[in-house]
Amino acid sequence: RMSPRHAESLVNVRSNMAELLRQRGQYDAAVETFRQALETATMAMESQHEKHHEGSGTNDKGIVDDAIPPPATSIMDEPTQEEQGNTIVDLLVKIADNLISAEQYNEAAEAYERALTSHVFFRKRRQSMGSNNTTTQHHPSSNNGKQGTVLPALPTNTSSTKINFDLASATTIEAAIRNNLAHALAQIGQDKLSLEHYEASLKIKRHIGGDLHMEVGHTLMGMGALLGGPVRDFTRGLNCFKEALYIYRANLEEVWTVDSGGDGDGVNSGEDEQAIFGAEEEAEEIDRHVQNALKNIGLIEAALLKDRDGASKRRRR
């Protein structure tokens, strides 16, 4: 039985090993090593959860009771539930990312679903216990720390279709996971569900980063590819690509303004807002996005023209 910090160290070692395997293109081996890290992280969280609720902090009916003090423990020596939850979500995302690289889209979609349900579960649990509460580790009860049944350490449901979308509490991590899940689902023909996740991701990104954030453009590109491809809704697909192009051009102009010594008071007010979802992108990279959007717009417009020509010929007959 290893200590929580020992388990955390083992998870970090295995994660680093898996990352090296990924860099070498050994995706299957990386997935297996990340899964070993995930198993260790999961067992550590369940063990810590059980220890904090074993025979104390509950009344004679097995219900969490604030009147009964939690067991004495050195919580400074243990990772918090939030840290453990973040580690589990991060490992699931890394597993899914490597499965995408290995073109194993079914398994990737399952891993992203688990990451999404776990992230939402841990977020709701933190909210129910109150943020930054010093008793968080000992009182994972419902009803904001009042009397209630002990919540499980991990989510029991792993289906993303059972998650109620809540824009007000959604995070950048949820937006990223939904976007990647949508891509994986599109690869296995789950077009309707893929579109739902793209739309949810887009709403979150607009809500947090604004309509002109680069990440909004990236999700619009994914939606455009889905709508203009298998869904064959060319008009909506074209609109997605055109809005993405507008966003990329606006951001490219902003980068040029900043690089040329301007004040940058334009699209997103500099680097900080772009960095909400990660590192900001350079002008060369944004220009590649512009060219990709233009290419897709051309393809969709050609498809629309072909459809119109076909419809005209059928009417003449």
Side-chain angles (χ1 to χ4, degrees):
R1 231 180 131 91
M2 65 182 75
S3 70
R5 287 301 180 191
H6 183 190
E8 184 181 46
S9 298
L10 183 57
V11 168
N12 290 336
V13 169
R14 285 176 171 162
S15 294
N16 291 336
M17 290 171 59
E19 183 58 27
L20 287 173
L21 290 166
R22 183 199 65 78
Q23 292 173 7
R24 294 173 184 169
Q26 297 174 286
Y27 301 120
D28 290 340
V31 167
E32 181 57 34
T33 308
F34 274 128
R35 281 176 172 159
Q36 290 172 3
L38 176 63
E39 182 180 2
T40 302
T42 301
M43 289 174 61
M45 187 173 207
E46 289 177 332
S47 175
Q48 189 170 327
H49 185 79
E50 289 171 5
K51 183 178 71 173
H52 290 151
H53 297 92
E54 213 167 54
S56 60
T58 59
N59 59 25
D60 57 359
K61 294 181 180 179
I63 303 299
V64 173
D65 193 335
D66 285 340
I68 303 174
T73 183
S74 177
I75 60 174
M76 295 300 292
D77 295 333
E78 299 179 351
T80 65
Q81 284 186 341
E82 183 172 357
E83 290 173 336
Q84 290 177 317
N86 290 342
T87 296
I88 287 171
V89 172
D90 183 57
L91 289 169
L92 285 165
V93 168
K94 286 177 177 176
I95 289 169
D97 289 346
N98 277 272
L99 288 167
I100 288 287
S101 298
E103 298 183 353
Q104 298 177 35
Y105 298 111
N106 271 297
E107 290 185 57
E110 290 176 7
Y112 282 131
E113 275 204 318
R114 285 188 62 194
L116 179 59
T117 54
S118 296
H119 173 71
V120 172
F121 173 84
F122 293 137
R123 187 186 71 212
K124 287 183 176 178
R125 187 171 64 181
R126 286 196 301 272
Q127 291 170 346
S128 72
M129 293 184 293
S131 300
N132 302 318
N133 191 324
T134 55
T135 62
T136 290
Q137 294 197 61
H138 306 291
H139 279 63
S141 59
S142 57
N143 303 322
N144 296 313
K146 303 301 180 183
Q147 288 193 358
T149 3
V150 176
L151 292 176
L154 296 161
T156 53
N157 165 55
T158 58
S159 172
S160 63
T161 58
K162 301 291 176 65
I163 297 175
N164 292 324
F165 178 61
D166 181 7
L167 181 61
S169 61
T171 63
T172 58
I173 295 173
E174 181 177 342
I177 296 173
R178 283 186 182 274
N179 188 82
N180 293 343
L181 173 56
H183 171 69
L185 290 167
Q187 298 300 313
I188 57 176
Q190 296 288 328
D191 300 337
K192 182 180 177 182
L193 190 54
S194 172
L195 188 57
E196 288 176 4
H197 284 294
Y198 270 134
E199 288 171 342
S201 177
L202 186 62
K203 287 177 182 177
I204 297 169
K205 290 178 177 182
R206 289 190 194 277
H207 179 69
I208 295 175
D211 290 336
L212 292 178
H213 198 285
M214 284 290 294
E215 280 294 327
V216 173
H218 296 338
T219 295
L220 284 166
M221 289 294 290
M223 286 180 64
L226 177 65
L227 291 165
V231 176
R232 296 189 66 79
D233 188 340
F234 296 133
T235 301
R236 287 181 66 195
L238 182 61
N239 289 338
C240 286
F241 288 134
K242 284 184 174 180
E243 185 179 355
L245 176 62
Y246 177 81
I247 291 168
Y248 292 148
R249 282 177 166 167
N251 279 274
L252 186 59
E253 183 179 347
E254 176 77 6
V255 171
W256 284 339
T257 301
V258 172
D259 288 348
S260 62
D263 58 13
D265 292 335
V267 180
N268 285 299
S269 303
E271 299 177 353
D272 290 343
E273 290 188 20
Q274 284 297 337
I276 292 171
F277 292 89
E280 64 277 1
E281 299 185 44
E282 299 296 332
E284 186 177 345
E285 189 172 0
I286 299 174
D287 187 58
R288 282 197 296 270
H289 293 314
V290 168
Q291 299 308 316
N292 190 33
L294 284 168
K295 177 183 176 181
N296 282 283
I297 288 170
L299 291 171
I300 294 288
E301 287 178 337
L304 282 168
L305 183 60
K306 184 178 179 181
D307 274 6
R308 282 195 292 268
D309 290 343
S312 178
K313 287 178 182 178
R314 285 193 297 271
R315 282 195 298 270
R316 285 199 295 269
R317 289 176 189 169

